[in-house]
DNA sequence: CTAATATGCACAATCGATTGTGCAAAGGGG
DNA sequence: CCCCTTTGCACAATCGATTGTGCATATTAG
């Protein structure tokens, strides 16, 4: 195979076919004929030769020379997760509109991997980078910002004046969800949290506390459990909370995966939703409405998240400057269904 | 920003810092010191200089020279779809293991876009390509195969002796699903199909017919409806079939999105699952078990699909030859839950 | 002590494009 | 008829690496 691979056509061959020099061929094809006084007959003969040979310029060579790769890099914790996949898609589509290609990578929620991937992307001379950081380390990101490489953090961020971030309004969403539970009469509410110390998790906890404070109700931190955004964490946390605190009447899951785990745990403990237990989740899901108990949830506008991130990146590349606003918050929306029961 | 961007360190600067020539620096860093008789002291001084300057070689330049980009291209119809996202992930992880990077693109189920994306990827001199073709056109793909560029088709394929494809065993899966319905006593079964004339859809229809034939039961093609793998198609097809043929006792949805639509349509028509209507779907889903009626489905091993595709690609790149077997079928698995009721 | 070999490294070509500059030939004015 | 301007294009450097070859100096053999 390698032997007989037909090498791609180069500009040299086109130039030879048209009987002109390399430089003339280049200029004829890149629309600079007039600026460099290439006659229209010559231009046409070059174009014809290029078409006949099916010439397609090597973006590699062009990038090397022009120092512009037309490449973006993306690092996400798990591209199979529909949430990140949706973000990736919006970025990919926006990139395509702007003639960029995207190197999409998966850090597997591992900080070392993330650092390594970022380095690898930089070695490929990407012109912009979008990262959803695992969150343990961030020097590699602030360093990039210092080097003035356009960078946008999405979903999770850091509080840093030079870091452009796009996140959902986790705080407002969690506040609204909690408020809904409180107004439905729930007082003992278990919180199934995700990865601690990540921005979404922290902000959501703040939102929960705010809602309690607004109603002058005491919040018991002992009712927080869980350590990941996945199904297992939700399952274990729900099981633990429901066993230790049977008086819990409602659970707030910080992800739909957590909610899934909660559903399983509740089922095993014989607690029916919503009759014996109310449930609300952060993150909506297409199937949420079709569950045994249609799930009330906080819907993140994931597409918007990706689109705004991509636009902010494109903006930095075009203007060469950081946007005025650094922290962008995308509004969330409460999807009220049937998994919450009024009590008391 | 663009002005003050600190340019990356080049090998030239490292060579200068170490007081050696470019070629020596290159050889010292690429482990060819011995082969080219670079003294170990010189080698060390180059390595030190490189480390001090934080030198990272330009993959762009290296690729141009070596004619090896270490790049893969992927074209999928919709990377936000969890099915394709899972495939993309396995490919990305396998690529990473082999020091490749992946350009992931989204054809939006549009054949023109697909052709364009493939061209764009080729212009970047990718070393391998994985495509899930929209299915309308295929000359661009056979052409690539003829040019000996490693290519693997995934999920959907063409019957062509030089095209390497990896798909689920759609036929066996559909046959098993249909058999289950027939054995449960169902005779009037509505088929909610996906995009017609795509390989998965066609093969699944074949599987359905085979199951009927095996039991010597006549199959009525009028009971096939739908034209896409999405929720809307499932909704409309189910609505149409259930209205026109109220005697239908079971639906076979060709995707979980189709099933979702069927769920909605059935709900609106007042038919409860599984009591008034049985339902089975192609494609499992994490939420399937938690639905009002836990959904029986045919589970595709999506990760395996992606992994096998990536390995076949890597194999072609390493050996420079096509694999012996061209058509790879990944087994599917029946997930029996509660959405089917025995009748008759 | 000289010739042959070994050692250590630099020079320069190359990958495929872009781009500043220079040199002919054609055209125009006096 | 000569000079000057314009037209039309080619030459060569460049981006940042890799790699074949050649030339010194050091070492060893005879």
């Amino acid at each position: 195979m390698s032997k007989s691979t037909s090498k791609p056509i180069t500009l040299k061959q086109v130039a030879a076919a048209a009987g002109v020099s390399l430089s003339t061929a280049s200029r004829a094809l890149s629309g600079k004929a007039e600026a460099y006084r290439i006659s229209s007959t010559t231009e046409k003969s070059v174009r014809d030769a290029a078409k006949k040979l099916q010439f397609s310029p090597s973006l590699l060579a062009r990038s090397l020379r022009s120092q512009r790769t037309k490449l973006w890099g993306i690092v996400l914790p798990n591209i199979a997760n529909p949430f990140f996949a949706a973000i990736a898609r919006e970025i990919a589509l926006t990139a395509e509109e702007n003639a960029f290609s995207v190197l999409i990578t998966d850090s597997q929620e591992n900080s070392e991997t993330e650092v390594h991937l970022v380095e690898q992307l930089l070695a490929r001379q990407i012109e912009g980078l979008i990262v959803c950081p695992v969150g343990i380390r961030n020097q590699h990101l602030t360093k990039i910002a210092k080097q003035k490489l356009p960078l946008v953090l999405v979903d999770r961020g850091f509080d840093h004046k030079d870091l452009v971030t796009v996140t959902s309004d986790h705080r407002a969403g969690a506040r609204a969800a909690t408020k809904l539970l409180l107004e439905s009469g729930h007082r003992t509410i278990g919180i199934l949290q995700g990865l601690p110390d990540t921005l979404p998790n922290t902000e959501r906890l703040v939102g929960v506390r705010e809602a309690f404070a607004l109603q002058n109700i005491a919040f018991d931190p002992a009712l927080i459990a869980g350590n990941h955004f996945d199904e297992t964490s939700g399952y274990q946390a729900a099981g633990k909370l429901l066993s230790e605190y049977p008086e819990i009447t409602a659970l707030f899951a910080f992800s739909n995966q957590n909610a899934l785990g909660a559903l399983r745990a509740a089922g095993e403990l014989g607690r029916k939703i919503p009759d014996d237990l109310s449930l609300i989740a952060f993150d909506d899901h297409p199937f949420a409405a079709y569950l045994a108990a249609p799930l009330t949830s906080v819907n993140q506008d994931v597409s918007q998240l990706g689109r705004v991130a991509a636009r902010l990146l494109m903006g930095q590349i075009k203007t060469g400057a950081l946007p005025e606003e650094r922290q962008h918050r995308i509004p969330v929306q409460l999807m009220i269904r049937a998994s919450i029961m009024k009590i008391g």
Side-chain angles (χ1 to χ4, degrees), chain A residues 143-219:
Chain A
K143 199 173 80 182
I144 286 177
K146 245 177 244 147
Q147 290 176 356
K148 315 272 184 187
L149 179 81
L151 169 68
V152 175
L153 303 187
V154 65
D155 184 39
R156 311 175 190 168
F158 297 105
D159 240 341
H160 185 291
K161 69 173 175 45
D162 287 339
L163 291 182
V164 180
T165 69
V166 185
T167 63
S168 285
D169 197 340
H170 302 292
R171 203 164 122 191
R175 198 167 48 217
T178 309
K179 184 177 174 219
L180 182 63
L181 289 176
L182 291 173
E183 287 177 345
S184 300
H186 297 278
R187 288 299 175 267
T188 314
I189 302 174
I191 306 293
L192 308 179
Q193 72 172 353
L195 194 61
D197 300 325
T198 59
L199 187 129
N201 199 72
T202 308
E203 296 249 300
R204 289 174 197 175
L205 284 178
V206 170
V208 170
R209 287 172 186 275
E210 283 176 352
F212 272 88
L214 281 172
Q215 313 245 354
N216 277 317
I217 302 175
F219 172 69

Side-chain angles (χ1 to χ4, degrees), chain A residues 73-79 103-107 117-118 120-121:
Chain A
I74 312 186
V75 184
L76 298 172
N78 178 357
I79 54 178
L103 291 163
I104 301 182
T105 65
D106 190 311
S107 65
L117 288 172
V118 166
Q120 197 174 291
L121 290 172

